[in-house]
Amino acid sequence: MKSILDNRPELARQVANVAEVGGYLWQKGWAERNGGNITINVTEFVDDEIKGMEPISDNMPIGTTLPHLKGCYFFCKGTNKRMRDLARWPMENGSVIRINDDCASYVIIADNPVKPTSELASHLSMHNYLIGSGSTYKAAVHTHPIDLVAMTHNPAFLKKDVLTKLLWSMIPETRAFCPRGLGIIPYALPSSVELAEATVKELAEYDVVMWEKHGVCAVGENVMEAFDMIDTLSKSAQIYLTAKSMGFEPDGMSEALMEELKVAFNLPK
Protein backbone atom coordinates (compact mmCIF):
# COMPACT_ATOMS: atom_id res chain seq x y z
CA MET A 1 0.00 0.00 0.00
CA LYS A 2 1.29 3.44 -0.93
CA SER A 3 1.93 5.76 1.99
CA ILE A 4 1.50 9.53 2.08
CA LEU A 5 5.12 9.59 3.27
CA ASP A 6 6.47 8.01 0.07
CA ASN A 7 8.73 10.42 -1.85
CA ARG A 8 8.04 13.15 0.70
CA PRO A 9 11.21 13.17 2.83
CA GLU A 10 10.36 16.30 4.85
CA LEU A 11 6.94 15.00 5.82
CA ALA A 12 8.43 11.58 6.58
CA ARG A 13 11.05 13.23 8.82
CA GLN A 14 8.34 14.98 10.82
CA VAL A 15 6.50 11.72 11.40
CA ALA A 16 9.76 9.94 12.26
CA ASN A 17 10.45 12.57 14.92
CA VAL A 18 7.01 11.96 16.42
CA ALA A 19 7.73 8.24 16.47
CA GLU A 20 11.09 8.85 18.17
CA VAL A 21 9.53 11.01 20.87
CA GLY A 22 6.77 8.44 21.35
CA GLY A 23 9.47 5.89 22.10
CA TYR A 24 11.09 8.20 24.64
CA LEU A 25 7.77 8.75 26.43
CA TRP A 26 7.26 4.99 26.73
CA GLN A 27 10.82 4.33 27.87
CA LYS A 28 10.49 6.94 30.61
CA GLY A 29 7.31 5.36 31.95
CA TRP A 30 5.26 8.41 31.01
CA ALA A 31 2.94 6.61 28.58
CA GLU A 32 1.17 3.73 30.25
CA ARG A 33 -1.10 1.74 27.93
CA ASN A 34 -2.53 4.34 25.51
CA GLY A 35 -1.65 7.33 27.72
CA GLY A 36 -0.54 10.60 26.17
CA ASN A 37 -0.79 12.03 22.69
CA ILE A 38 1.11 14.04 20.10
CA THR A 39 -0.04 16.29 17.26
CA ILE A 40 2.02 18.25 14.74
CA ASN A 41 0.97 20.79 12.16
CA VAL A 42 2.27 19.45 8.82
CA THR A 43 0.47 21.94 6.55
CA GLU A 44 3.73 23.36 5.19
CA PHE A 45 4.69 19.92 3.84
CA VAL A 46 1.42 19.38 1.96
CA ASP A 47 1.56 19.41 -1.86
CA ASP A 48 -1.19 19.58 -4.47
CA GLU A 49 -1.51 15.80 -4.64
CA ILE A 50 -2.20 15.63 -0.91
CA LYS A 51 -4.70 18.48 -1.19
CA GLY A 52 -6.57 16.43 -3.77
CA MET A 53 -6.73 13.25 -1.68
CA GLU A 54 -10.19 11.94 -0.98
CA PRO A 55 -11.10 11.38 2.67
CA ILE A 56 -10.94 7.85 4.05
CA SER A 57 -13.36 8.70 6.87
CA ASP A 58 -16.65 10.45 7.41
CA ASN A 59 -16.68 14.05 8.58
CA MET A 60 -16.01 14.03 12.30
CA PRO A 61 -16.77 16.87 14.73
CA ILE A 62 -13.97 18.53 16.70
CA GLY A 63 -16.36 19.70 19.41
CA THR A 64 -15.55 23.37 18.95
CA THR A 65 -15.01 25.83 16.08
CA LEU A 66 -11.41 26.82 15.34
CA PRO A 67 -11.29 29.50 12.63
CA HIS A 68 -7.52 29.61 12.17
CA LEU A 69 -7.34 25.93 11.21
CA LYS A 70 -9.31 26.04 7.97
CA GLY A 71 -7.61 23.73 5.48
CA CYS A 72 -4.78 22.80 7.85
CA TYR A 73 -3.27 19.32 8.06
CA PHE A 74 -2.09 17.51 11.19
CA PHE A 75 -0.42 14.23 12.00
CA CYS A 76 -2.07 12.86 15.14
CA LYS A 77 -1.48 9.89 17.38
CA GLY A 78 -4.54 7.65 17.31
CA THR A 79 -6.99 7.24 20.13
CA ASN A 80 -6.54 4.07 22.15
CA LYS A 81 -3.14 3.58 20.52
CA ARG A 82 0.02 2.93 22.51
CA MET A 83 3.08 5.19 22.37
CA ARG A 84 5.32 2.13 22.14
CA ASP A 85 3.44 1.09 19.01
CA LEU A 86 3.49 4.62 17.59
CA ALA A 87 7.28 4.49 17.95
CA ARG A 88 7.49 1.38 15.78
CA TRP A 89 4.64 1.84 13.32
CA PRO A 90 3.61 5.52 13.24
CA MET A 91 1.31 5.32 10.24
CA GLU A 92 -0.59 2.38 11.74
CA ASN A 93 -1.02 4.13 15.07
CA GLY A 94 -1.57 7.67 13.85
CA SER A 95 -3.07 9.43 10.85
CA VAL A 96 -3.03 12.62 8.81
CA ILE A 97 -6.19 14.71 9.09
CA ARG A 98 -7.50 17.73 7.21
CA ILE A 99 -9.62 20.40 8.87
CA ASN A 100 -12.79 21.11 6.89
CA ASP A 101 -13.87 24.55 5.71
CA ASP A 102 -16.41 24.78 8.55
CA CYS A 103 -13.46 24.77 10.99
CA ALA A 104 -15.55 22.55 13.26
CA SER A 105 -14.92 19.13 11.74
CA TYR A 106 -12.20 17.11 10.07
CA VAL A 107 -11.57 14.11 7.84
CA ILE A 108 -8.80 11.52 7.84
CA ILE A 109 -6.87 11.41 4.57
CA ALA A 110 -3.98 8.98 5.20
CA ASP A 111 -2.71 6.33 5.61
CA ASN A 112 -5.38 4.42 7.54
CA PRO A 113 -8.67 5.50 9.16
CA VAL A 114 -7.09 5.76 12.61
CA LYS A 115 -9.27 8.08 14.68
CA PRO A 116 -7.13 10.79 16.34
CA THR A 117 -6.48 11.17 20.04
CA SER A 118 -9.43 11.65 22.37
CA GLU A 119 -7.76 14.91 23.44
CA LEU A 120 -8.05 16.27 19.90
CA ALA A 121 -10.18 19.25 20.99
CA SER A 122 -7.43 20.39 23.37
CA HIS A 123 -4.67 19.82 20.85
CA LEU A 124 -6.39 21.56 17.95
CA SER A 125 -7.44 24.43 20.22
CA MET A 126 -3.77 24.91 21.07
CA HIS A 127 -2.79 24.88 17.40
CA ASN A 128 -5.59 27.33 16.61
CA TYR A 129 -4.29 29.68 19.31
CA LEU A 130 -0.71 29.35 18.08
CA ILE A 131 -1.59 30.20 14.49
CA GLY A 132 -3.88 33.03 15.57
CA SER A 133 -1.17 34.57 17.74
CA GLY A 134 1.44 34.41 14.99
CA SER A 135 3.49 31.74 16.71
CA THR A 136 5.81 29.50 14.71
CA TYR A 137 5.18 26.57 17.07
CA LYS A 138 3.99 23.45 15.25
CA ALA A 139 3.95 20.65 17.87
CA ALA A 140 1.93 19.72 20.94
CA VAL A 141 2.90 16.87 23.28
CA HIS A 142 0.82 15.53 26.16
CA THR A 143 2.24 12.91 28.52
CA HIS A 144 2.13 11.68 32.12
CA PRO A 145 5.46 12.25 33.92
CA ILE A 146 5.22 10.45 37.25
CA ASP A 147 7.15 13.04 39.26
CA LEU A 148 5.38 16.12 37.92
CA VAL A 149 1.91 14.59 38.22
CA ALA A 150 2.72 13.58 41.81
CA MET A 151 3.57 17.17 42.65
CA THR A 152 0.11 18.35 41.52
CA HIS A 153 -1.42 16.32 44.36
CA ASN A 154 0.01 18.92 46.77
CA PRO A 155 -2.35 21.96 46.89
CA ALA A 156 0.58 24.23 47.78
CA PHE A 157 2.12 23.58 44.36
CA LEU A 158 -1.07 24.56 42.52
CA LYS A 159 -0.76 28.25 43.34
CA LYS A 160 0.44 30.40 40.45
CA ASP A 161 4.16 30.05 39.71
CA VAL A 162 4.98 28.22 42.95
CA LEU A 163 5.96 25.08 41.06
CA THR A 164 7.67 27.10 38.33
CA LYS A 165 10.00 28.82 40.79
CA LEU A 166 10.69 25.62 42.70
CA LEU A 167 11.63 23.67 39.58
CA TRP A 168 13.64 26.54 38.13
CA SER A 169 15.67 26.67 41.34
CA MET A 170 16.74 23.02 41.25
CA ILE A 171 19.18 23.25 38.34
CA PRO A 172 20.18 26.16 36.05
CA GLU A 173 19.24 24.34 32.83
CA THR A 174 15.56 24.34 33.77
CA ARG A 175 15.51 28.12 34.10
CA ALA A 176 17.32 28.41 30.76
CA PHE A 177 15.49 25.79 28.69
CA CYS A 178 11.97 26.24 30.04
CA PRO A 179 12.13 30.02 30.40
CA ARG A 180 8.39 30.72 30.42
CA GLY A 181 7.78 28.34 33.31
CA LEU A 182 4.91 26.00 34.03
CA GLY A 183 1.24 26.89 34.01
CA ILE A 184 -1.26 25.08 36.25
CA ILE A 185 -4.76 24.03 35.20
CA PRO A 186 -7.16 22.81 37.91
CA TYR A 187 -8.54 19.36 37.30
CA ALA A 188 -10.98 19.17 34.39
CA LEU A 189 -12.57 16.20 32.66
CA PRO A 190 -10.12 14.69 30.14
CA SER A 191 -11.10 15.32 26.50
CA SER A 192 -13.49 18.12 27.50
CA VAL A 193 -13.88 21.49 25.78
CA GLU A 194 -13.47 23.01 29.26
CA LEU A 195 -9.96 21.55 29.46
CA ALA A 196 -9.18 22.76 25.95
CA GLU A 197 -10.26 26.32 26.74
CA ALA A 198 -8.30 26.39 30.00
CA THR A 199 -5.19 25.13 28.23
CA VAL A 200 -5.37 27.79 25.55
CA LYS A 201 -5.74 30.49 28.19
CA GLU A 202 -2.52 29.36 29.89
CA LEU A 203 -0.59 29.32 26.60
CA ALA A 204 -0.71 33.11 26.54
CA GLU A 205 1.90 32.96 29.34
CA TYR A 206 3.45 29.48 29.31
CA ASP A 207 4.78 26.90 26.83
CA VAL A 208 4.18 24.04 29.27
CA VAL A 209 1.07 23.49 31.35
CA MET A 210 0.22 20.95 34.05
CA TRP A 211 -3.19 19.35 34.00
CA GLU A 212 -3.78 18.73 37.72
CA LYS A 213 -3.70 15.03 38.65
CA HIS A 214 -3.44 14.15 34.95
CA GLY A 215 -0.34 15.16 33.01
CA VAL A 216 1.68 17.77 31.18
CA CYS A 217 1.09 19.47 27.85
CA ALA A 218 3.85 21.34 26.00
CA VAL A 219 4.02 23.24 22.72
CA GLY A 220 7.12 24.03 20.72
CA GLU A 221 8.68 24.72 17.33
CA ASN A 222 8.87 20.97 16.81
CA VAL A 223 8.11 17.79 18.70
CA MET A 224 11.67 17.43 20.02
CA GLU A 225 11.62 20.91 21.54
CA ALA A 226 8.29 20.25 23.24
CA PHE A 227 9.61 16.97 24.64
CA ASP A 228 12.83 18.59 25.84
CA MET A 229 10.98 21.12 27.98
CA ILE A 230 8.99 18.40 29.72
CA ASP A 231 12.13 16.30 30.16
CA THR A 232 13.98 19.23 31.72
CA LEU A 233 11.16 19.98 34.15
CA SER A 234 11.00 16.31 35.09
CA LYS A 235 14.73 16.32 35.89
CA SER A 236 14.17 19.21 38.30
CA ALA A 237 11.25 17.38 39.91
CA GLN A 238 13.46 14.31 40.35
CA ILE A 239 16.17 16.40 42.02
CA TYR A 240 13.61 17.87 44.41
CA LEU A 241 12.02 14.51 45.23
CA THR A 242 15.41 12.82 45.64
CA ALA A 243 16.48 15.46 48.15
CA LYS A 244 13.21 15.04 50.04
CA SER A 245 13.69 11.26 50.11
CA MET A 246 17.12 11.85 51.65
CA GLY A 247 15.42 13.69 54.51
CA PHE A 248 15.98 17.35 53.74
CA GLU A 249 14.34 20.24 51.93
CA PRO A 250 16.63 21.32 49.07
CA ASP A 251 17.75 24.94 49.25
CA GLY A 252 17.40 25.63 45.54
CA MET A 253 18.98 28.62 43.86
CA SER A 254 18.20 31.98 45.44
CA GLU A 255 16.15 34.68 43.71
CA ALA A 256 19.40 36.60 43.17
CA LEU A 257 21.03 33.65 41.41
CA MET A 258 17.98 33.11 39.23
CA GLU A 259 17.93 36.79 38.32
CA GLU A 260 21.57 36.47 37.34
CA LEU A 261 20.61 33.61 34.99
CA LYS A 262 17.78 35.66 33.53
CA VAL A 263 20.13 38.51 32.67
CA ALA A 264 22.96 36.28 31.42
CA PHE A 265 20.72 34.25 29.09
CA ASN A 266 18.31 37.08 28.21
CA LEU A 267 15.32 35.08 29.46
CA PRO A 268 11.72 36.36 29.16
CA LYS A 269 10.80 35.98 32.84
Side-chain angles (χ1 to χ4, degrees):
M1 174 183 170
K2 185 178 179 182
S3 170
I4 195 174
L5 305 183
D6 292 347
N7 301 314
R8 295 186 176 96
E10 291 302 321
L11 179 59
R13 184 176 292 110
Q14 297 299 312
V15 173
N17 286 342
V18 171
E20 184 177 347
V21 168
Y24 295 155
L25 300 181
W26 163 251
Q27 291 161 14
K28 284 180 168 292
W30 297 354
E32 71 293 338
R33 199 181 183 278
N34 61 310
N37 34 67
I38 302 172
T39 57
I40 55 168
N41 185 340
V42 295
T43 307
E44 65 184 291
F45 307 109
V46 167
D47 53 32
D48 289 341
E49 182 181 354
I50 293 176
K51 291 177 182 177
M53 285 183 171
E54 293 296 321
I56 58 174
S57 72
D58 295 332
N59 288 339
M60 291 183 274
I62 297 170
T64 186
T65 301
L66 303 169
H68 298 298
L69 298 190
K70 181 179 179 179
C72 287
Y73 293 76
F74 297 88
F75 177 76
C76 311
K77 173 185 172 284
T79 190
N80 208 32
K81 299 297 184 180
R82 295 167 173 82
M83 282 291 181
R84 61 181 184 266
D85 293 335
L86 183 76
R88 295 179 291 175
W89 308 297
M91 296 308 293
E92 295 176 28
N93 293 276
S95 58
V96 177
I97 68 170
R98 177 170 58 226
I99 308 302
N100 292 327
D101 287 350
D102 63 5
C103 301
S105 63
Y106 68 92
V107 290
I108 301 170
I109 64 163
D111 278 349
N112 300 291
V114 177
K115 188 175 179 180
T117 165
S118 61
E119 298 284 3
L120 189 65
S122 290
H123 276 251
L124 292 183
S125 293
M126 288 187 283
H127 287 290
N128 183 70
Y129 169 81
L130 293 170
I131 293 173
S133 65
S135 173
T136 57
Y137 287 7
K138 299 292 175 62
V141 175
H142 166 58
T143 190
H144 305 157
I146 299 164
D147 36 33
L148 292 171
V149 174
M151 296 181 87
T152 71
H153 286 261
N154 181 348
F157 291 150
L158 302 180
K159 296 177 183 177
K160 183 176 174 62
D161 289 337
V162 169
L163 199 50
T164 288
K165 291 178 180 178
L166 175 65
L167 296 176
W168 273 353
S169 76
M170 290 296 103
I171 187 171
E173 279 75 6
T174 304
R175 182 77 170 88
F177 297 125
C178 193
R180 298 183 73 202
L182 182 64
I184 303 290
I185 295 175
Y187 181 82
L189 182 69
S191 310
S192 65
V193 173
E194 176 190 2
L195 180 58
E197 291 174 347
T199 301
V200 167
K201 184 177 179 181
E202 289 297 295
L203 289 183
E205 189 173 350
Y206 305 96
D207 288 340
V208 188
V209 295
M210 283 295 310
W211 292 347
E212 181 190 349
K213 301 180 178 72
H214 182 168
V216 179
C217 202
V219 294
E221 292 275 357
N222 53 64
V223 70
M224 290 294 182
E225 183 181 280
F227 166 76
D228 283 343
M229 285 188 287
I230 301 171
D231 195 29
T232 304
L233 288 164
S234 175
K235 173 61 69 68
S236 279
Q238 291 175 52
I239 293 169
Y240 175 79
L241 295 171
T242 299
K244 292 288 283 186
S245 72
M246 294 167 67
F248 66 92
E249 182 76 22
D251 289 339
M253 291 184 293
S254 67
E255 289 284 349
L257 291 175
M258 289 210 284
E259 182 64 23
E260 181 184 48
L261 274 173
K262 177 183 174 179
V263 173
F265 289 91
N266 193 29
L267 302 174
K269 288 185 179 179

